Amino acid sequence: MLVQIPDVLSAEQVAHARHRLASVEWVDGRVTAGPQSARAKDNRQVPEEHPVGRELGEMIVQALQRHPLFISAALPLHVFPPLFNSYSGGQSFGSHVDNAIRQVPGTAHRLRTDLSCTLFLSGPDEYDGGELMIEDTYGAHSVKLPAGHLVLYPSTSLHHVRPVTRGARVCSFFWLQSLVRNDADRTLLFDLDAGIRQLHGLDAAGAAAVQLTGVYHNLLRRWAEL
Ligand code: NI
């Protein structure tokens, strides 16, 4: 399931992030790539443990924790500290699948990447190209979102970033391990939760909403892994 999460960051937070990132010495993005994706990858990144990246990553994670649509869609267990990349001057990232396991820098903690996230920090009018292309059994999906918006997609998906032919595309990207590993199970819970939230607006729905909320939690209890 591919889900767009609007307004993760406010315009002020995006401007703050862009201002802070302008002070950083960026490095070749191949530092976090595996051997296959290193051949496909051509971009710049903020070094993994850079204090500016950590500070902005913390701002993003806190914003996500307050976003009901993100929580409902992702059911996050562990979130990798967000990283930052930039594409300009024709840079791109060829087709690849993200690494299955990531070690959190500076810790012994490893997480399984169930979901991949891209948070756009540049507006679509600031650059040409740079679409994130995500493939699933329904075909290829082109994603290019307003600044402050995020896309969430299964880390099992083949994806690539088209060449940026004008301007610069600055994004944050990261992965998370979900409480619910299976994408189809997680999608059922997301749809059920959306339906329950609609029922909450209806006066007559009381008993049905209670029953369906119980079903939601009992499915989550069946599928969640901590
Ligand atoms: Ni990727």
Side-chain angles (χ1 to χ4, degrees):
M1 176 178 63
L2 188 159
V3 185
Q4 296 185 11
I5 313 286
D7 302 315
V8 170
L9 296 185
S10 67
E12 293 73 27
Q13 287 174 311
V14 169
H16 172 71
R18 293 285 296 275
H19 176 71
R20 296 288 283 141
L21 290 170
S23 70
V24 173
E25 196 147 327
W26 295 63
V27 298
D28 190 313
R30 291 177 182 90
V31 288
T32 55
Q36 187 276 325
S37 59
R39 285 200 293 277
K41 188 173 186 180
D42 179 21
N43 65 9
R44 309 285 292 166
Q45 273 180 214
V46 172
E48 262 196 289
E49 293 190 78
H50 196 289
V52 169
R54 291 285 67 80
E55 169 203 318
L56 297 175
E58 190 54 38
M59 177 179 83
I60 292 167
V61 170
Q62 284 183 17
L64 289 171
Q65 283 166 352
R66 293 190 297 266
H67 206 302
L69 184 63
F70 173 81
I71 299 295
S72 179
L75 296 170
L77 174 62
H78 301 300
V79 180
F80 192 89
L83 302 172
F84 298 85
N85 62 17
S86 171
Y87 296 79
S88 60
Q91 287 180 317
S92 64
F93 196 161
S95 190
H96 66 281
V97 169
D98 293 342
N99 288 355
I101 307 292
R102 288 268 169 192
Q103 182 149 3
V104 178
T107 75
H109 180 229
R110 290 180 298 169
L111 59 78
R112 186 186 65 232
T113 56
D114 294 323
L115 289 164
S116 298
C117 305
T118 296
L119 171 64
F120 289 77
L121 295 172
S122 302
D125 52 338
E126 293 182 71
Y127 59 98
D128 290 335
E131 295 86 357
L132 172 61
M133 304 295 298
I134 302 165
E135 293 175 34
D136 65 16
T137 50
Y138 293 100
H141 305 269
S142 173
V143 182
K144 183 169 178 172
L145 300 180
H149 295 213
L150 176 143
V151 63
L152 189 66
Y153 59 98
S155 300
T156 50
S157 318
L158 266 175
H159 58 280
H160 66 277
V161 177
R162 299 193 61 231
V164 172
T165 55
R166 176 188 65 86
R169 172 196 191 268
V170 178
C171 288
S172 175
F173 67 102
F174 51 98
W175 306 271
L176 63 89
Q177 182 169 335
S178 177
L179 287 162
V180 176
R181 173 183 198 156
N182 184 284
D183 188 62
D185 295 347
R186 204 184 316 107
T187 302
L188 277 177
L189 289 169
F190 180 62
D191 290 343
L192 180 56
D193 187 44
I196 291 168
R197 276 186 279 120
Q198 289 179 47
L199 282 179
H200 282 317
L202 305 175
D203 287 343
V210 169
Q211 190 160 22
L212 289 172
T213 301
V215 171
Y216 178 89
H217 282 285
N218 289 332
L219 286 174
L220 183 57
R221 200 184 326 276
R222 174 175 294 203
W223 290 330
E225 307 161 81
L226 293 167

